[in-house]
Amino acid sequence: QLQLQQSGPGLVKPSETLSLTCTVSGDSINSNSYYWGWVRQAPGKGLEWIGSIFYSGSTYYNPSLKSRVSISVDTSKNQFSLKLSSVTAADAALYFCATRGYLTGRLAHWGQGTLVTVSS
Amino acid sequence: QSVLTQPPSVSAAPGQKVTISCSGTSSNIGNNYVSWYQHLPGTAPKLLIYDNNMRPSGIPDRFSGSKSGTSATLGIAGLQTGDEADYYCGTWDNSLSAGVIFGGGTKLTVL
């Protein structure tokens, strides 16, 4: 049973970089069945896809965030990570890691969520 | 504004059936699989329907999905108070095949 466990700070200062990590258990991050991705929900808003990475290292980002987003994989730790630079109050949200099916697009597995506050 | 259009809210009484629509275009829903998610505040979304009409194991058959052209529909029969949640449709666009696009979400109220 694939499971995702998120870690990372819940408080980030304005203009700094948000960093979150998602540890995969129950499957290998080298699996070609999934894209490993991030989704967020700002207060009072809907779900927003941030970006995804394939085990090969290929990345795919939401065009609205592309200039500030970086997603990477650490195969030695079976983890993938999100970095979002130059954060503002608009980036305050509940962040989730998730698996995106390679062929079907379904987000079948989710992390527990990390509430990120942007404040000095 | 979301690429996929959902009604902001729907409501029905316990035991009744409700449907939630999701409208897109030929570059997203029209040519790709649709999924549906149930989201309770502060928790991780749960996959209810994938590949337009398939249920993951453990999802009761009260939940159903369908797709026709550039629109998809989630049906929930035998409504229970525990079904009160936000529901999102999701798919991807041909311009970014590895991406995900969501509808704006629909708040279900069980009266």
Side-chain angles (χ1 to χ4, degrees), chain A residues 28-85:
Chain A
S28 170
I29 203 149
N30 288 317
S31 171
N32 62 4
S33 297
Y34 308 110
Y35 294 100
W36 310 96
W38 294 91
V39 174
R40 70 179 184 180
Q41 184 186 35
K45 304 288 188 180
L47 300 176
E48 179 183 33
W49 172 71
I50 299 170
S52 304
I53 188 167
F54 200 47
Y55 79 100
S56 62
S58 297
T59 52
Y60 310 85
Y61 299 134
N62 186 322
S64 68
L65 299 169
K66 187 174 184 178
S67 64
R68 299 192 292 127
V69 174
S70 175
I71 297 176
S72 60
V73 166
D74 186 337
T75 56
S76 67
K77 296 181 179 179
N78 225 37
Q79 294 176 336
F80 61 104
S81 298
L82 167 70
K83 292 188 185 301
L84 180 66
S85 64

Side-chain angles (χ1 to χ4, degrees), chain B:
Chain B
Q1 189 159 347
S2 302
V3 176
L4 307 179
T5 301
Q6 298 182 233
S9 63
V10 295
S11 61
Q16 297 297 304
K17 178 175 181 177
V18 69
T19 60
I20 299 173
S21 61
C22 176
S23 179
T25 69
S26 58
S27 67
N28 44 64
I29 289 179
N31 280 285
N32 300 310
Y33 288 121
V34 175
S35 300
W36 288 91
Y37 305 89
Q38 179 189 62
H39 191 204
L40 295 165
T43 69
K46 177 194 290 186
L47 178 66
L48 289 179
I49 298 289
Y50 67 96
D51 295 1
N52 305 329
N53 57 15
M54 303 297 293
R55 287 186 311 277
S57 60
I59 301 299
D61 59 7
R62 301 189 297 110
F63 296 91
S64 62
S66 64
K67 189 183 94 168
S68 178
T70 59
S71 294
T73 302
L74 172 70
I76 310 173
L79 278 173
Q80 303 173 359
T81 55
D83 295 332
E84 274 206 357
D86 295 320
Y87 291 84
Y88 293 87
C89 57
T91 186
W92 65 97
D93 195 277
N94 292 338
S95 63
L96 187 57
S97 62
V100 182
I101 53 175
F102 293 105
T106 299
K107 169 66 178 178
L108 168 64
T109 300
V110 181
L111 303 169

Side-chain angles (χ1 to χ4, degrees), chain A residues 1 5 15 22 25 27 30 62 64-65 69 89 92 94-95 100 108:
Chain A
Q1 174 81 351
Q5 179 69 37
S15 80
C22 189
S25 61
D27 204 341
N30 288 317
N62 186 322
S64 68
L65 299 169
V69 174
L94 186 55
Y95 285 75
R100 181 207 185 273

